[in-house]
Amino acid sequence: MPETECPPSRNTVLEAFADTIIPGEKRHPDDRAVAGVSQGGGAVAAGAIDVLETPEGGMAPALDDLARMLDEHAVAYRAGCGLPEDREPFVGLGYDDRLALVGELLAPGHPEHAMWAGLAMFSFMAFDTGAHMHTADAIAAGHPGLATLGFAPPGEDGLWRFPAYSYGRPLADVHPDTDPTGSPV
Amino acid sequence: MNATETTDVLIVGSGFGGSITAYHLAAGGAKVTVLERGPWLNSEEFDHDFKFGSSTTRVFDFVVGDGMSVLGGNCVGGGSVVYFATMPRAPRFVFERHGSIGRRMWPAAIDRDALEPWYDRVAEALPVTPTSWDEVPYIGGVFAAACKAAGHTANPSPSAVDTSLCTNCNWMMSGCRFDAKRSLLLNYLPAALSHGAEIRPLHEVQKITKLDTGDYRVHYNTIDEVDYRQQTGSGTIDAKIVILAAGTAATPVILQRSEPELGRMPHAVGRYFSGNGERLNTAVLEDDKVRELLGLSRDEANAYGAYQIGRGPVVASWDRLDGDLPEYERFSLEQLYFPPGFGTILAQVPDAKGPSWYGPEKKEMLRKWRSWLTVFTMSEDDNEGVFGPPPPTGNSERLSQQLLGFGSLRYRPTENTLRGWEVSDAAVRDILEHNGLARVMPWTNDVIGAYTVHPLASCRIGDDPETSALDDRHELRGHPGIFVTDGSAVPGALTVNPAFTIAALAERAVPGIVHALRERGVEVHYGAPAPDGGGAARRGTAAAVRTVLG
Ligand SMILES: Cc1cc2nc3c(=O)[nH]c(=O)nc-3n(C[C@H](O)[C@H](O)[C@H](O)COP(=O)(O)OP(=O)(O)OC[C@H]3O[C@@H](n4cnc5c(N)ncnc54)[C@H](O)[C@@H]3O)c2cc1C
């Protein structure tokens, strides 16, 4: 998607949403999207925008609308709370207010629940899986989500093997009604 | 140009229900054509990769419904390619269940004893073998030891994994790279091919119509190999017999879409869906407690911390599989690994002050991911799922190129189902929170509703035409010559992993289908050995076969 076609603030709004889902530390002192409530990279540093924009994911066509709607909800939210109106609607909210608004949107029964749940899941997946990159490359590049999980790196051929895997001994009594095939009777 | 393609048997879907019937009927001499909506991958194409477009998304299907989301396979081999290959037989009491209908749900002809020889045939074919303790990954060991410490038993489950080839990489949901997992690509399907069956990948069946001759016409679209939202063509094939084995979440949808032209469907088509009472809890273990309370250690540094290592569920606790307990309070518990993404998003933070499945506290929980242990409940639900009107094509409106779409299934758990989940959640806490070993929380149902990898019963067998779509030979009521042999035929929740039971039922259905083919003038015999030629289990089914085929 060419840069010019997307509203200038769109990605900042989406980043602020992704950072609400899995927060991270600010990338630089003027980082407006990332609230900076957590140590280490969060969903944004993990590639949330890239994941949302992949043609494979299918979210790309909806992103302009989602960012616009998020701002609309933020305008209503801050009016309801008497918050200042002189800043960007969603991005201008503090982390706790972002969390409160996103909580409303993600509550079961919200008419747009499915949409926001989708946006949240893709943001989450950016962090947990780095689905826009080959996993081996993501690990090699220090992908913040996989590093946070402590996801073990692959072997030299890019495949995973765990030669040591078992405590190697019986650790419980089996059920007395187990048949000779190992199934419950 | 207009010459219509014909075949004796047209099979929709190449999972357990499709592959097993394809093999036996092809071996018996019938012309068999299998249409499979997904791609056909071999072991080198099974990636260790979460990237969109790798096998992780190519072979998988995730349909979000209203209150229930279903995960399944989408490739030649179906669910067997993505499954964990844990293969227990269903306990005896399951076949006696009444569920929501106030009478036995299963046909009178089927109980555990009657199914036993058919289980044996599948066990020989895949094969399914018992698991020994020295093959149990750390996560299964820690669960077993926790069960013991809390006064419970625990069993290594029988499985269809060749542990001599397994690397315990835990990528099996993306397809097994090492051919350790005995998917259908290694037994029934190659055997079916060698007997002349034809398998066409990327062919998605949309509907069935009927010809004046009594034969059926099957209508399909061909699907782009990368972007499954794109259709590349369409066609029809005429067949004497149609076997629907598109899986529980797809078979009823094809029948619903066919209804206007095919005629009225039995009431139970698209109703009585069961999620196998599935429920997940995630525990975060304290490593020092694992050492101190359970006496376990991997090495100097770690007592556990091995969530990533292994092969799905290996150890199960069957203490609650007790036929004397009230219905809806019986369940099994299985230790489980689910990879990041699927396995992390819905897990909840114990004692969260803010949001429980996302936000700052969730991120802190993710830092302890290596110490996670997921426990899988399979309980008795109430068959409360109902399919709404079918989407334009397939069984979902696809959002992503692969993997993700939205379907019409609606599921509102009844009090019975909720009670089963509640007692099982309590049992999991009893086992894992004992003496501060771990903190446990169930997964949230607030995001995509409940979820299941074990969909069942949306087109089920039974004796009562009001509450079953199929007779006890798996033939669709009112539509002779259409059979259903996948998970949708299973009457209800099994309290254990279902693939073995689905497969045994498919084996059992074959003689009846042979009979139907002979009635239509197709010369076909029954009696093929196991796919590798083994004949040991054939003796056990001989008597049952004689009652169908004489
Ligand atoms: C992650 C995961 C782990 C699992 N682990 C286990 C386990 O350890 N043990 C166990 O017992 N079970 C397990 N299961 C469940 C098991 O895989 C299923 O119960 C089993 O595969 C169901 O068999 P089936 O024949 O009903 O359908 P499937 O195996 O789902 O096969 C249906 C096939 O039909 C195809 N299809 C669908 N629609 C169409 C159409 N319109 N046209 C053509 N083709 C179509 C699908 O692509 C699929 O290949 C697991 C499932 C998942 C998702």
Side-chain angles (χ1 to χ4, degrees):
Chain A
M1 186 173 298
E3 218 34 61
T4 47
E5 272 182 20
C6 95
S9 62
R10 186 196 81 170
N11 284 358
T12 319
V13 177
L14 295 174
E15 284 183 347
F17 181 93
D19 183 63
T20 311
I21 299 303
I22 301 290
E25 63 193 25
K26 285 186 181 289
R27 292 162 290 183
H28 47 83
D30 312 322
D31 198 339
R32 304 193 320 284
V34 175
V37 300
S38 170
Q39 283 188 343
V44 174
I49 297 297
D50 288 334
V51 169
L52 287 167
E53 284 184 340
T54 54
E56 293 95 335
M59 291 295 283
L63 295 180
D64 289 356
D65 283 343
L66 286 169
R68 182 181 45 77
M69 290 165 70
L70 200 52
D71 268 346
E72 285 167 12
H73 284 299
V75 167
Y77 174 87
R78 71 186 180 189
C81 304
L83 293 170
E85 299 185 1
D86 58 347
R87 53 192 72 165
E88 298 152 287
F90 188 71
V91 173
L93 296 177
Y95 188 76
D96 287 344
D97 287 314
R98 290 180 185 179
L99 214 47
L101 172 54
V102 168
E104 285 173 23
L105 302 178
L106 288 173
H110 188 282
E112 296 160 8
H113 170 84
M115 232 155 57
W116 302 114
L119 191 63
M121 288 197 289
F122 274 86
S123 305
F124 208 119
M125 260 153 40
F127 186 76
D128 266 29
T129 66
H132 59 307
M133 297 176 77
H134 290 297
T135 305
D137 295 346
I139 291 174
H143 183 271
L146 292 166
T148 300
L149 265 59
F151 198 84
E156 275 175 17
D157 61 355
L159 301 176
W160 274 256
R161 292 177 185 81
F162 295 106
Y165 70 93
S166 178
Y167 295 114
R169 57 191 160 96
L171 288 164
D173 302 318
V174 300
H175 196 282
D177 296 331
T178 303
D179 75 13
T181 70
S183 280
V185 295
Chain B
M1 195 57 202
N2 272 341
T4 313
E5 277 198 76
T6 62
T7 186
D8 295 332
V9 186
L10 188 295
I11 301 180
V12 186
S14 60
F16 289 93
S19 300
I20 290 171
T21 48
Y23 164 59
H24 284 290
L25 298 173
K31 179 171 182 201
V32 173
T33 309
V34 181
L35 301 183
E36 164 57 53
R37 72 174 167 189
W40 194 344
L41 274 61
N42 59 37
S43 19
E44 293 78 56
E45 292 172 283
F46 295 135
D47 304 307
H48 288 185
D49 205 340
F50 295 127
K51 189 174 191 294
F52 290 147
S54 66
S55 68
T56 302
T57 59
R58 288 175 79 191
V59 299
F60 226 88
D61 195 53
F62 180 25
V63 179
V64 177
D66 173 7
M68 176 64 77
S69 300
V70 179
L71 278 71
N74 182 83
C75 56
V76 173
S80 82
V81 171
V82 303
Y83 82 150
F84 296 132
T86 303
M87 296 291 263
R89 300 176 191 218
R92 186 163 294 273
F93 71 80
V94 153
F95 300 90
E96 310 306 324
R97 288 193 59 201
H98 284 205
S100 57
I101 61 173
R103 54 175 298 219
R104 202 167 173 272
M105 299 198 285
W106 284 76
I110 306 178
D111 59 13
R112 169 72 183 259
D113 289 333
L115 208 53
E116 208 78 84
W118 301 105
Y119 278 125
D120 290 341
R121 295 215 59 172
V122 178
E124 182 181 27
L126 288 177
V128 177
T129 52
T131 303
S132 66
W133 282 106
D134 58 3
E135 301 166 321
V136 169
Y138 298 119
I139 182 174
V142 90
F143 180 63
C147 286
K148 184 174 169 71
H152 289 277
T153 68
N155 285 50
S157 281
S159 99
V161 174
D162 179 344
T163 49
S164 71
L165 298 174
C166 178
T167 68
N168 288 283
C169 70
N170 249 333
W171 281 98
M172 63 201 303
M173 262 174 70
S174 306
C176 179
R177 175 67 164 236
F178 305 110
D179 283 345
K181 178 166 78 177
R182 302 294 302 173
S183 80
L184 297 161
L185 295 172
L186 302 179
N187 34 63
Y188 286 101
L189 281 169
L193 287 171
S194 75
H195 287 284
E198 199 195 330
I199 301 172
R200 299 193 195 169
L202 300 167
H203 282 60
E204 185 176 69
V205 170
Q206 307 304 333
K207 65 174 182 180
I208 305 165
T209 53
K210 195 162 186 176
L211 305 172
D212 293 339
T213 56
D215 292 354
Y216 291 99
R217 177 162 291 174
V218 173
H219 302 249
Y220 62 83
N221 293 339
T222 50
I223 305 291
D224 183 77
E225 63 172 336
V226 173
D227 188 349
Y228 301 162
R229 298 169 302 191
Q230 307 294 330
Q231 285 133 39
T232 55
S234 62
T236 60
I237 301 180
D238 294 348
K240 297 197 178 327
I241 294 283
V242 174
I243 300 176
L244 283 170
T248 305
T251 284
V253 182
I254 294 168
L255 290 174
Q256 287 176 317
R257 193 179 292 115
S258 306
E259 186 165 25
E261 288 163 274
L262 209 49
R264 193 144 168 261
M265 284 298 141
H267 177 76
V269 168
R271 290 192 175 79
Y272 301 109
F273 171 98
S274 161
N276 207 26
E278 199 165 307
R279 172 89 167 167
L280 289 157
N281 273 269
T282 290
V284 183
L285 272 65
E286 296 296 332
D287 219 56
D288 51 348
K289 297 278 185 185
V290 172
R291 201 179 293 273
E292 178 190 316
L293 298 172
L294 307 180
L296 296 178
S297 64
R298 278 171 61 197
D299 50 43
E300 291 289 295
N302 301 289
Y304 169 57
Y307 187 47
Q308 192 182 339
I309 302 171
R311 43 182 199 280
V314 178
V315 170
S317 185
W318 293 332
D319 290 342
R320 297 290 298 226
L321 295 185
D322 174 352
D324 292 335
L325 290 170
E327 189 166 7
Y328 302 108
E329 294 186 15
R330 302 171 293 199
F331 53 84
S332 65
L333 299 176
E334 218 166 65
Q335 136 283 319
L336 178 63
Y337 167 86
F338 250 127
F342 286 116
T344 39
I345 296 178
L346 303 177
Q348 299 190 84
V349 182
D351 305 317
K353 294 186 188 63
S356 59
W357 65 270
Y358 60 94
E361 294 167 275
K362 182 65 178 283
K363 187 173 172 192
E364 293 312 305
M365 182 178 170
L366 290 169
R367 290 190 204 279
K368 299 182 192 146
W369 181 75
R370 277 181 295 190
S371 298
W372 286 24
L373 186 165
T374 300
V375 181
F376 190 37
T377 294
M378 286 157 278
S379 61
E380 298 168 292
D381 72 355
D382 234 345
N383 293 85
E384 56 266 68
V386 178
F387 286 79
T393 62
N395 69 325
S396 71
E397 304 220 36
R398 289 186 174 276
L399 172 72
S400 305
Q401 288 185 351
Q402 300 167 0
L403 191 75
L404 183 60
F406 297 94
S408 71
L409 176 61
R410 186 171 192 277
Y411 189 92
R412 294 284 176 275
T414 66
E415 289 300 318
N416 288 331
T417 302
L418 292 170
R419 188 167 75 249
W421 289 345
E422 210 176 291
V423 285
S424 95
D425 287 350
V428 177
R429 279 196 306 274
D430 274 354
I431 293 169
L432 288 168
E433 296 197 336
H434 202 69
N435 288 324
L437 177 66
R439 289 303 324 276
V440 186
M441 274 290 278
W443 285 18
T444 178
N445 285 3
D446 286 355
V447 188
I448 50 167
Y451 34 77
T452 185
V453 297
H454 296 162
L456 298 169
S458 56
C459 195
R460 62 186 184 174
I461 49 172
D463 292 332
D464 168 18
E466 291 305 309
T467 58
S468 62
L470 314 172
D471 63 23
D472 66 4
R473 291 185 186 186
H474 293 245
E475 195 163 19
L476 184 67
R477 296 179 188 284
H479 300 274
I482 297 181
F483 291 82
V484 176
T485 56
D486 57 18
S488 66
V490 175
L494 297 171
T495 69
V496 295
N497 323 62
F500 204 0
T501 303
I502 295 168
L505 287 171
E507 281 276 2
R508 180 185 168 278
V510 174
I513 301 171
V514 167
H515 180 73
L517 276 163
R518 287 183 188 167
E519 278 184 338
R520 286 161 179 76
V522 183
E523 254 186 65
V524 50
H525 57 271
Y526 177 81
D532 71 354
R538 206 164 28 175
R539 280 190 296 277
T541 53
V545 172
R546 269 196 304 276
T547 64
V548 179
L549 292 175

